[in-house]
Amino acid sequence: KPPALDGKARQAIIVVAHPTPLQAPPMNPDTAHLWKAPRWALALLLAMLGTLGPFSIDTYVPAFAAIGAATGATPLQLQQTFSAYLFGFAFMNLFHGALSDSFGRRPVVLCGLVAFTLASVGCALSQSIGQLIFFRAVQGLSTGAGIVVSRAVVRDLFPPTEAQRVMSQITIYFGVAPAIAPLVGGLLLDWWGWRAIFWLLVGVGAALTLANWRLLPETLPRAQRQPFQVRDLLRGYGQLLSDPRFLLLALASGIPFNGMFLYVLSAPAFLGDVLQLRPTQFFWLFVLTIAGIMAGSWLSGRMAGRVRPRHQIMKGVRVMLIVSAINVLANALLAPSAWWSLWPIAIYAFGWALMVPVVTLLVLDLHPARRGMASSLQAVVGSTANGVVAGVLAPLVMHSALGLAVAAGGLLCTGLFSWMWLHKHWPEVGRRAHEVI
């Protein structure tokens, strides 16, 4: 009979018996000196970086018809302004995180903001749809810097539980700008025309450049930086891309997002043609969706440290799965109406926001020395899916409420399959190292 053990000794044995590869990576030792303001202030600054991309999309959605009339563009060409932006975003995300791992977080963010501001000037001055598509692609190449690097900054500064709370706060703040963006875009369109929307983005880019130049600290110590060499970069990419856990986690977070993003991409046709809403009423889709994201993010922050990561992920997935099934059934039996057709999207957004901060942290902690690169590749997977959805799937289903519901459900099932496959073969992922199993 083994000797009796006290609680601490028994827990130590259990932890050794159930090892996990997701060990907490080293954080910046100077965290207390780098950011002395309240945690919510850092979350707000990083949320402003992250929301620049969605804001630059949502503000000009109401101006589609006006841009088409001014440039003689077809609906397909206008849709390509989405695709050009998203594919540019996906391509450059291959390098934003790697560059930040080598040169630091701060220089990459500032360079990206300057490039975005200049590209917005080009959009405002465009005389043809071809020029607009080009400068939208440049915007996409630059906006990823803030989104990708902000995740790494959070993980540089905070341990997992605190990082989940900060990321949840970021998502809450992140929701405000996209919620008001279509309304702002519609008002600018009515008052001064579609070019005013891009001049607004010029001002936003310049303001963010100044704010981050003065406030954003450098969170990656020089001792932890990776050499900027082609061979080293290729080795890092190979390490991540050959890890099936990373790929499955990236799919589990990125693909379900498109279940609601599909509706944003299809907003002109879905809201205007199917639901018969005026451009100034488009904001209802965004208000309800962002409200769902903010509520899910708030609850995710409350769950941090209290609920196992894998259990929290499944709670979010169940919400999305149930509401997707209801959405398909309702659209098959009822005529679409603005009174009920927007609510399933909001509830879906709630489920997505409940699980995505957890999945993002799991991705960042797989390979701690490549945290920036991991954030980049995660964004690449998601934004590449966004580009495919924008350029291929959205044009096929945007004029059908039932088609949108079925497509959104299919995207969710892809992410769900990825998570279930991961959980089956690597059950330790999403289990904290200190848990008593």
Side-chain angles (χ1 to χ4, degrees):
K1 180 178 179 179
L5 299 173
D6 61 18
K8 290 184 178 180
R10 198 163 87 258
Q11 182 176 359
I13 291 176
I14 292 173
V15 169
V16 171
H18 295 275
T20 171
L22 303 180
Q23 303 296 334
M27 297 180 301
N28 193 313
D30 298 323
T31 293
H33 303 288
L34 290 174
W35 189 264
K36 298 181 179 180
R39 188 179 63 189
W40 63 263
L42 176 64
L44 178 59
L45 179 65
L46 297 178
M48 292 170 65
L49 284 174
T51 199
L52 182 61
F55 187 81
S56 67
I57 290 178
D58 297 343
T59 46
Y60 93 115
V61 167
F64 258 42
I67 294 174
T71 60
T74 65
L76 180 60
Q77 288 175 318
L78 290 171
Q79 195 69 25
Q80 297 314 308
T81 61
F82 274 129
S83 299
Y85 175 93
L86 294 171
F87 279 117
F89 180 90
F91 172 77
M92 194 59 198
N93 274 345
L94 287 169
F95 307 101
H96 285 312
L99 290 171
S100 75
D101 284 340
S102 298
F103 299 107
R105 315 301 189 200
R106 181 179 161 88
V108 176
V109 168
L110 293 176
C111 290
L113 289 171
V114 170
F116 173 83
T117 304
L118 295 177
S120 299
V121 173
C123 290
L125 298 177
S126 295
Q127 300 299 314
S128 67
I129 190 63
Q131 293 176 2
L132 182 59
I133 291 174
F134 171 79
F135 285 112
R136 286 292 290 171
V138 178
Q139 280 187 326
L141 290 169
S142 57
T143 52
I147 297 173
V148 168
V149 178
S150 62
R151 298 173 185 168
V153 168
V154 172
R155 199 58 187 89
D156 287 343
L157 295 176
F158 301 103
T161 298
E162 285 297 304
Q164 183 179 334
R165 294 193 180 106
V166 173
M167 285 193 173
S168 298
Q169 286 182 327
I170 288 174
T171 308
I172 292 174
Y173 295 135
F174 171 89
V176 175
I180 65 173
L183 178 60
V184 172
L187 293 175
L188 289 175
L189 175 65
D190 290 340
W191 293 344
W192 294 298
W194 65 271
R195 296 183 190 277
I197 296 173
F198 292 106
W199 285 119
L200 172 66
L201 296 179
V202 173
V204 170
L208 284 178
T209 302
L210 178 61
N212 283 272
W213 177 68
R214 298 192 62 178
L215 300 175
L216 184 68
E218 178 52 67
T219 61
L220 183 65
R222 291 188 177 276
Q224 296 180 19
R225 298 184 186 181
Q226 302 294 318
F228 187 71
Q229 300 173 355
V230 174
R231 180 178 299 177
D232 185 72
L233 290 177
L234 292 177
R235 186 184 304 114
Y237 286 128
Q239 182 183 18
L240 291 174
L241 294 175
S242 62
D243 187 344
R245 300 171 304 163
F246 171 82
L247 296 174
L248 291 169
L249 282 171
L251 290 173
S253 64
I255 304 300
F257 171 78
N258 284 280
M260 61 181 176
F261 192 53
L262 176 65
Y263 282 91
V264 176
L265 295 169
S266 306
F270 175 61
L271 300 178
D273 300 337
V274 178
L275 299 185
Q276 299 295 309
L277 296 177
R278 297 188 302 273
T280 53
Q281 296 175 312
F282 283 11
F283 76 96
W284 282 112
L285 168 65
F286 301 93
V287 167
L288 292 174
T289 302
I290 298 304
I293 291 176
M294 294 174 70
S297 301
W298 176 85
L299 185 57
S300 177
R302 297 284 294 177
M303 288 182 172
R306 302 178 181 179
V307 179
R308 290 181 179 182
R310 56 181 177 178
H311 290 174
Q312 184 170 333
I313 290 170
M314 283 309 302
K315 288 179 185 296
V317 169
R318 289 190 189 101
V319 170
M320 291 187 288
L321 194 61
I322 292 171
V323 77
S324 293
I326 293 174
N327 193 31
V328 171
L329 182 62
N331 278 287
L333 299 177
L334 303 173
S337 169
W339 292 106
W340 66 265
S341 294
L342 302 181
W343 288 103
I345 309 169
I347 299 172
Y348 184 102
F350 171 85
W352 175 81
L354 186 63
M355 54 86 76
V356 76
V358 184
V359 180
T360 299
L361 288 174
L362 293 179
V363 170
L364 295 177
D365 286 353
L366 282 173
H367 299 277
R370 300 286 185 179
R371 194 177 290 148
M373 185 178 288
S375 181
S376 276
L377 288 179
Q378 181 191 20
V380 167
V381 172
S383 56
T384 300
N386 295 347
V388 173
V389 170
V392 180
L393 184 58
L396 294 176
V397 300
M398 65 170 57
H399 296 285
S400 168
L402 179 58
L404 284 167
V406 171
L411 292 167
L412 168 62
C413 289
T414 302
L416 175 60
F417 175 81
S418 300
W419 170 252
M420 297 304 295
W421 186 269
L422 174 77
H423 183 62
K424 177 181 178 181
H425 292 86
W426 293 273
E428 73 277 4
V429 175
R431 176 186 297 165
R432 295 186 183 90
H434 64 272
E435 286 180 335
V436 178
I437 307 302

